[in-house]
Amino acid sequence: MENRITSRDNERVKYTAKLLAKPSFCRQQGQFVAEGEKLCLDAAAAGLPCETLYLTDEAAARWPKLAAISAERVLIHQTVAEKLSGMKSPQGVFGVFGLPSFEETAIDPNGHYLALEDVQDPANVGAVLRSAAAFGFSGVLLTAGCADPLGQKAMRASMGAAFRLPTIRVEDLPSQLSRLGKAGMATVAAALYGAGDLMDYQYTGGGLVLVVGNEGNGLSQPVIDACGAVLRIPMQSMESLNAAVAASVLMWELWGRRNG
């Protein structure tokens, strides 16, 4: 490992910093940055190609497992790591990986999916991915208004699930739900009003799409109207749940419980 960068103004550092800060730039370049030993190892284990692995001297000595990642390896000064990192105490590990890509046509009518409408908090999106992977879901559908699952906060919250679970951007969620319903999938919306009790719903198996709305407004009416069932989670003293918590409860009750 002979390459070394000591300047915070190095062009490669600036490029990597832009990937870290702007998910839209990641989409444009077809690359993203995984920060930290665990996320880099998880991304590599998921089969994503790593172009460059940036390491401080301390990080290279501390995590020898990173040597298994096939990539150009570049040593960076601690001040460079501090510029790149979004964390108070950076680990000094940054991997530039190829961006995974999934299309709407990849949806399996026999699969089990969670759909999110305009969930804007990246921590919620990441937590949802983590739960979906834990409960054996096939993937997560995201509208354009959702936080990017490969943004830094979402990736950290997903604990590597962002690399293992397909995330599919959906341009027109109501139309997609209608199409999937006609294909035989059960489409279930989570809502507070005009909804049946989750515990009374009889899911008999087959393809499934659970739909959860954003933190403030819930689901839009067109999305609710496109679903075959509308359910609420029974609660005692609170009106609603955090979006990630609600999604996890739904996934567990309708699919995770019987397949856990």
Side-chain angles (χ1 to χ4, degrees), residues 118-257:
D118 299 347
V119 176
Q120 299 170 347
D121 186 335
N124 278 340
V125 170
V128 163
L129 290 173
R130 184 178 181 181
S131 293
F135 298 147
F137 268 58
S138 307
V140 176
L141 314 184
L142 304 168
T143 63
C146 287
D148 196 299
L150 293 176
Q152 296 305 304
K153 289 183 179 179
M155 272 196 290
R156 287 196 290 269
S158 80
M159 294 296 287
F163 312 132
R164 298 191 294 271
L165 194 68
T167 55
I168 303 168
R169 288 286 180 179
V170 178
E171 293 187 6
D172 186 338
L173 184 56
S175 295
Q176 182 66 273
L177 290 168
S178 296
R179 185 183 71 81
L180 295 175
K182 290 176 182 177
M185 298 185 78
T187 53
V188 179
L192 293 175
Y193 307 107
D197 194 304
L198 169 63
M199 306 312 294
D200 295 331
Y201 180 69
Q202 299 298 315
Y203 169 60
T204 57
L208 172 69
V209 185
L210 302 174
V211 194
V212 174
N214 78 4
E215 298 82 358
N217 301 316
L219 291 173
S220 66
Q221 196 60 47
V223 166
I224 292 174
D225 292 342
C227 290
V230 184
L231 303 177
R232 60 177 174 80
I233 299 170
M235 288 174 277
Q236 308 234 345
S237 60
M238 299 299 293
E239 183 180 83
S240 63
L241 294 171
N242 168 279
V245 173
S248 297
V249 170
L250 285 162
M251 287 188 284
W252 171 246
E253 285 294 338
L254 294 183
W255 180 247
R257 180 190 294 278

